[in-house]
Amino acid sequence: MFPSTNVPEHRSPILWHPTPEYVQRSRLFRFMQRHRIADYPTLYERSIGDIAWFWEAALEELGIEWACPYTRVLDMSKGIQWPQWFVGGRLNLVHNCVDKHSSGPWADHLAIRWEGEDGTQRSLTYRQLDAEVCRAATVLRRLGVRRGDRVAVFLPMIPEVAIITLACSKIGAIYTPIFSGYGAEAVATRVQDCEARLLVTADGFFRRGGLVKMKQVADEAAARCPTVEHLLVVRRAGCPVSWQAGRDVWWHELAPADAEGPVLSEAEGPPTEVPTEEMDAEEPFMIIYTSGTTGRPKGTVHVHSGFPIKAAQDLAFHFDLQPEDTLFWFTDMGWMMGPWEIMGALALGATCLMYEGVPDWPHPGRLWELAERHRVTILGLSPTAIRALMRYGDAPAHQHDLSSLRVLGSTGEPWTPDAYLWYFQHVGQSRCPIINYSGGTEVSGGIVGGTVLHPCKPCAFTGPCLGMAAEIFDAEGRPVRGEVGELVVTKPWPGMTHGFWRDPQRYLETYWSRWPQVWVHGDWAATDAEGFWYILGRSDDTIKVAGKRLGPAEVEAILTGHPAVSEAAAIGVPHPVKGEALVCFVVLRQGWTPSEALTSELASRVVEQLGKPLRPAAVHAVPEIPKTRNAKILRRVIRAVFLGQDPGDLSSLENPQAVSAIKQLHSPVG
């Protein structure tokens, strides 16, 4: 039932040790001192053993302000699957992210920096952000948006995507962020599911120097969505667009100028204030859809007292984000790390850098150029992004001044050792910790992570995040250490999704059906002899060859350890004798060409490390591996296409051409 994946070697070296400077300036260390807690293990145990104490202490540390105080931290009368947090409390995330910073000493501190792929730059102080959010709130109300209405936000990573989502929350509406690169079908699926009244989009945006016609995609999607009354269009690219009178409206033309709403002035300063709605702690502000790596996208529901608090807590305690920091997580608003970055950074009074483009255009050092120009202190990248940038060599990173970096972050996929070491040595200059972080859209942040108080080990996590009662269960549902098992959570946390939008049964079946009262996340995990944790891949990706089970991440790490291979994916396909056979797909680095000798060498490399029974039946060199827009390998799609089966939902696919290449291959087994 469980894979025979080897537990990672505990003999791997510790790459980074906390220095006194990191420890003494950290929010976490000061928090522990304030509460007279001697060490981190004691704090962690108290965070899951005395839930009410921990979350009240965290709220105080984060400076969360309430319009009406809560009377009880947690009510589990409806079961662990449906916890009620901060009972009776009323607040609004916008008050804690914008309003409270927009006057006084922090008003002129930068809230958002932005750079477009074409080099255009904009910035907003907290005072200016407040003015823009008020302006957007007035626009939304003029379009008929009211409390509880759904608004689909299909925008590139420009300042308006943050402004408009915050404006939705300010007036009590519920927004659905949609990835900027989706096609019409993927957009329509999400708009239809949440029954949005308003679709916000842009005329277009730039990607690799080319124009992406976003309005055209939005038009096609809206035609399939009868609930959509208006398209609100932000001018970004200045390109011509089709127009449906009565439905389509320009953002820049809707600045209120009459008595129905606040009057906007050309002069610097905020418009007349738009009141921020007081929301019940349990009222939704966002429906964000999962990437669809395990089937039809699921609309996870998040509330004002959940996602923003979990995001801010993780950033404060695990990434040590402080008001003087500039956070840059390379992401899109359509993935949970987009709202996580914006709400978490703003709640803590820090600066958030947003970037519209790709990491390697118009030159391979584009990302490092951004970090240098904007003096980024906390940088977050996926392992997949690092592997893609490694192909250009070390020089692009070394050509830029990255001395401002203090903390590196990562999430999205399991690491391979070579990519982890490259990130640490060439980006972090062997002086910055890598805070490995894994959780999900349904979690509002991390289940496992690290801190600046702990040493860093290649590919590893320190352990569960504060407030997360995470365990590793064997097949019988017993906690284990030193062997591979299912990653589970045994107690609730703020940020836990309040189910799937209008589909509570699917939510229960997805997370709560394996063991009673236990959240099963769907990841294989393990610990080593020194207590470090590892995520080894999705448990539904497990491969079984002649009775032996293994996770694909282990095979992929072996393959990418070869100097010819930049990326890899491993799947199991039917075999008449073994049950399943192992088939691998690799993307070769520049300068290498496919050959029988190379594929044989790669197969032998797997045999050397895993044994003869797990020799791949085939190793295929392909131009690309199918991945989601947030860089997760779509193994279920690879398997289905390779076997000539229906691949199911492809709405989250980043590179459809990768599927076409695999279709041309033929399964050698089965």
Side-chain angles (χ1 to χ4, degrees):
M1 189 171 189
F2 280 68
S4 59
T5 309
N6 296 323
V7 175
E9 285 285 346
H10 72 273
R11 293 186 296 274
S12 298
I14 300 294
L15 290 181
W16 183 86
H17 290 273
T19 64
E21 179 187 6
Y22 272 88
V23 172
Q24 291 166 12
R25 80 182 297 273
S26 74
R27 300 184 72 135
L28 185 54
F29 178 72
R30 298 197 303 268
F31 178 79
M32 289 165 55
Q33 281 189 314
R34 243 185 333 269
H35 293 278
R36 300 183 180 181
I37 296 173
D39 52 40
Y40 185 85
T42 302
L43 173 61
Y44 172 72
E45 290 301 326
R46 192 170 177 189
S47 79
I48 63 171
D50 191 347
I51 293 175
W53 170 82
F54 175 72
W55 286 106
E56 285 198 296
L59 292 176
E60 181 183 5
E61 168 68 22
L62 302 175
I64 300 299
E65 296 179 355
W66 298 80
C68 177
Y70 55 87
T71 58
R72 186 178 177 187
V73 172
L74 176 62
D75 179 355
M76 293 225 300
S77 59
K78 296 180 181 178
I80 190 174
Q81 303 89 342
W82 307 104
Q84 293 178 277
W85 288 91
F86 311 113
V87 179
R90 298 180 70 79
L91 78 169
N92 190 305
L93 70 90
V94 175
H95 174 81
N96 286 290
C97 291
V98 181
D99 298 359
K100 72 180 185 183
H101 303 309
S102 64
S103 60
W106 221 240
D108 294 322
H109 184 68
L110 282 182
I112 291 175
R113 289 178 178 268
W114 172 78
E115 186 164 326
E117 189 179 74
D118 59 359
T120 307
Q121 296 182 46
R122 289 168 60 191
S123 61
L124 293 168
T125 65
Y126 277 95
R127 190 197 312 276
Q128 292 166 334
L129 179 60
D130 178 47
E132 289 296 311
V133 172
C134 286
R135 173 176 181 255
T138 304
V139 168
L140 293 175
R141 283 181 169 164
R142 289 189 165 195
L143 292 174
V145 177
R146 297 293 181 261
R147 186 172 181 147
D149 287 345
R150 272 80 65 202
V151 176
V153 182
F154 177 50
L155 284 170
M157 284 296 273
I158 56 179
E160 284 78 9
V161 75
I163 291 163
I164 291 170
T165 53
L166 288 165
C168 289
S169 300
K170 186 179 184 73
I171 65 173
I174 303 168
Y175 70 86
T176 289
I178 300 177
F179 174 64
S180 59
Y182 273 155
E185 181 180 353
V187 176
T189 297
R190 288 152 177 80
V191 174
Q192 289 167 353
D193 192 68
C194 73
E195 298 178 310
R197 292 185 62 187
L198 174 66
L199 174 57
V200 187
T201 192
D203 54 353
F205 68 99
F206 304 103
R207 183 177 174 85
R208 297 198 177 277
L211 174 65
V212 178
K213 296 181 178 180
M214 208 169 197
K215 173 64 161 56
Q216 181 177 312
V217 175
D219 284 337
E220 293 177 27
R224 309 179 196 180
C225 302
T227 61
V228 172
E229 299 169 3
H230 292 287
L231 257 67
L232 177 60
V233 186
V234 177
R235 179 178 286 165
R236 162 64 182 119
C239 59
V241 295
S242 60
W243 205 255
Q244 184 173 318
R247 185 198 68 176
D248 299 351
V249 289
W250 282 112
W251 159 259
H252 64 272
E253 292 180 354
L254 271 186
D258 57 44
E260 294 180 9
V263 176
L264 297 187
S265 169
E266 294 293 334
E268 186 174 349
T272 305
E273 182 181 354
V274 175
T276 298
E277 289 283 332
E278 291 183 10
M279 309 298 291
D280 185 87
E282 294 283 287
E283 281 191 77
F285 76 92
M286 178 175 69
I287 302 167
I288 182 168
Y289 288 82
T290 62
S291 59
T293 55
T294 56
R296 180 172 60 89
K298 304 176 284 283
T300 63
V301 179
H302 292 287
V303 302
H304 281 259
S305 67
F307 191 113
I309 290 173
K310 168 66 172 164
Q313 188 264 151
D314 282 4
L315 275 167
F317 291 155
H318 291 278
F319 291 91
D320 194 36
L321 182 66
Q322 306 199 32
E324 299 78 15
D325 282 314
T326 295
L327 170 67
F328 175 36
W329 207 281
F330 181 65
T331 185
D332 185 274
M333 199 66 173
W335 309 126
M336 62 84 56
M337 295 305 290
W340 178 91
E341 173 188 26
I342 289 168
M343 284 185 284
L346 298 183
L348 296 172
T351 302
C352 174
L353 173 63
M354 301 169 62
Y355 174 55
E356 173 191 50
V358 295
D360 57 352
W361 197 92
H363 56 81
R366 183 70 163 106
L367 212 58
W368 321 129
E369 179 183 68
L370 283 167
E372 176 183 19
R373 177 157 45 244
H374 298 284
R375 305 304 294 164
V376 171
T377 55
I378 300 179
L379 172 67
L381 296 171
S382 70
T384 307
I386 289 297
R387 287 192 286 269
L389 292 167
M390 285 171 64
R391 71 184 67 178
Y392 300 113
D394 309 339
H398 294 169
Q399 289 166 359
H400 294 278
D401 178 7
L402 302 180
S403 61
S404 63
L405 292 176
R406 187 170 64 84
V407 174
L408 303 179
S410 76
T411 193
E413 277 274 312
W415 279 104
T416 52
D418 60 329
Y420 184 100
L421 289 170
W422 193 92
Y423 192 29
F424 177 75
Q425 293 169 352
H426 298 293
V427 180
Q429 303 168 341
S430 300
R431 59 176 178 77
C432 298
I434 297 178
I435 307 300
N436 214 4
Y437 188 63
S438 183
T441 306
E442 318 88 324
V443 177
S444 302
I447 296 176
V448 291
T451 79
V452 299
L453 303 187
H454 291 89
C456 293
K457 196 174 189 180
C459 311
F461 302 83
T462 297
C465 293
L466 290 170
M468 301 297 296
E471 272 293 353
I472 301 171
F473 274 13
D474 66 11
E476 284 71 48
R478 297 173 301 201
V480 293
R481 293 292 185 271
E483 61 183 86
V484 178
E486 285 272 10
L487 179 66
V488 303
V489 186
T490 59
K491 293 182 180 180
W493 66 96
M496 192 173 98
T497 180
H498 281 47
F500 299 152
W501 181 250
R502 295 179 176 170
D503 199 352
Q505 189 56 40
R506 189 179 182 208
Y507 161 69
L508 295 174
E509 291 169 356
T510 301
Y511 297 109
W512 300 100
S513 59
R514 180 75 178 275
W515 292 295
Q517 313 296 302
V518 173
W519 171 290
V520 180
H521 195 60
D523 283 334
W524 293 127
T527 58
D528 67 16
E530 293 176 313
F532 287 89
W533 287 51
Y534 299 83
I535 299 295
L536 304 173
R538 296 292 300 174
S539 55
D540 49 17
D541 286 333
T542 303
I543 303 165
K544 184 177 182 180
V545 180
K548 299 175 179 63
R549 290 186 177 267
L550 73 159
E554 182 174 16
V555 180
E556 292 157 10
I558 292 168
L559 293 170
T560 56
H562 189 284
V565 179
S566 64
E567 294 183 87
I571 62 169
V573 301
H575 189 279
V577 176
K578 298 180 179 180
E580 280 191 317
L582 176 63
V583 175
C584 304
F585 302 83
V586 297
V587 177
L588 300 182
R589 296 183 188 275
Q590 289 181 341
W592 293 81
T593 56
S595 67
E596 289 188 13
L598 178 57
T599 55
S600 177
E601 184 180 341
L602 293 173
S604 297
R605 184 180 176 89
V606 175
V607 170
E608 289 169 7
Q609 299 192 40
L610 295 181
K612 289 183 179 180
L614 297 177
R615 183 181 186 87
V619 179
H620 296 286
V622 293
E624 295 180 87
I625 288 172
K627 289 178 287 193
T628 65
R629 311 284 185 164
N630 57 339
K632 293 182 180 179
I633 296 172
L634 278 170
R635 298 179 186 86
R636 65 167 181 83
V637 169
I638 297 171
R639 186 177 189 275
V641 170
F642 186 67
L643 295 175
Q645 300 170 350
D646 180 6
D649 174 50
L650 296 179
S651 64
S652 61
L653 194 62
E654 162 74 17
N655 48 352
Q657 64 276 12
V659 171
S660 301
I662 292 171
K663 276 184 180 178
Q664 297 174 13
L665 302 171
H666 298 285
S667 172
V669 291

